[in-house]
Amino acid sequence: KLILPKVKPRDLIRDDRWIFFPGDEVEVIGGEAIGNVGRRGKVLDVIRKMNSVTVEGLKLVMLFFILELSNCNLLISDSQAKKHIPPNPIRPLGGIISKPLPIHFSNIKLVDPHVG
């Protein structure tokens, strides 16, 4: 389980100033991953409590959970967000679940759909 940072109430963006909504096209203008700068994607989800959005195909981190007797190892890479699940009653063969991680709103900008 990832522990996500909490934003103080005074730092939350007001409703009338929030400009990102699901379905909007955005472009990355900054952030930790320099390789993502300039890439575009579609907003999948808005996380108002973190001032963040989830963008399709961007900010993907690979998560490998290797379960041993009592400990869980976590390896991080820059390719894709994948969680390896051991076999269980719901998935008898186990499996891999992919999930994009959120990007802070200050690192993206809206793309005008008419101009491109």
Side-chain angles (χ1 to χ4, degrees), residues 19 24 42 45 50 52 57 59 68 97 104 115-116:
I19 59 172
D24 290 344
K42 182 178 171 185
D45 189 23
M50 290 177 47
S52 300
K59 179 96 184 237
E68 295 177 0
I97 295 178
H104 194 263
V115 177

Side-chain angles (χ1 to χ4, degrees), residues 35-48:
N36 281 340
V37 174
R39 291 181 58 190
R40 293 183 179 187
K42 182 178 171 185
V43 175
L44 298 176
D45 189 23
V46 176
I47 307 165
R48 301 291 288 280

Side-chain angles (χ1 to χ4, degrees), residues 44-70:
L44 298 176
D45 189 23
V46 176
I47 307 165
R48 301 291 288 280
K49 291 183 178 180
M50 290 177 47
N51 288 340
S52 300
V53 297
T54 303
V55 181
E56 181 179 31
L58 298 176
K59 179 96 184 237
L60 300 175
V61 177
M62 186 177 295
L63 301 175
F64 289 106
F65 288 92
I66 304 167
L67 297 175
E68 295 177 0
L69 294 175
S70 63

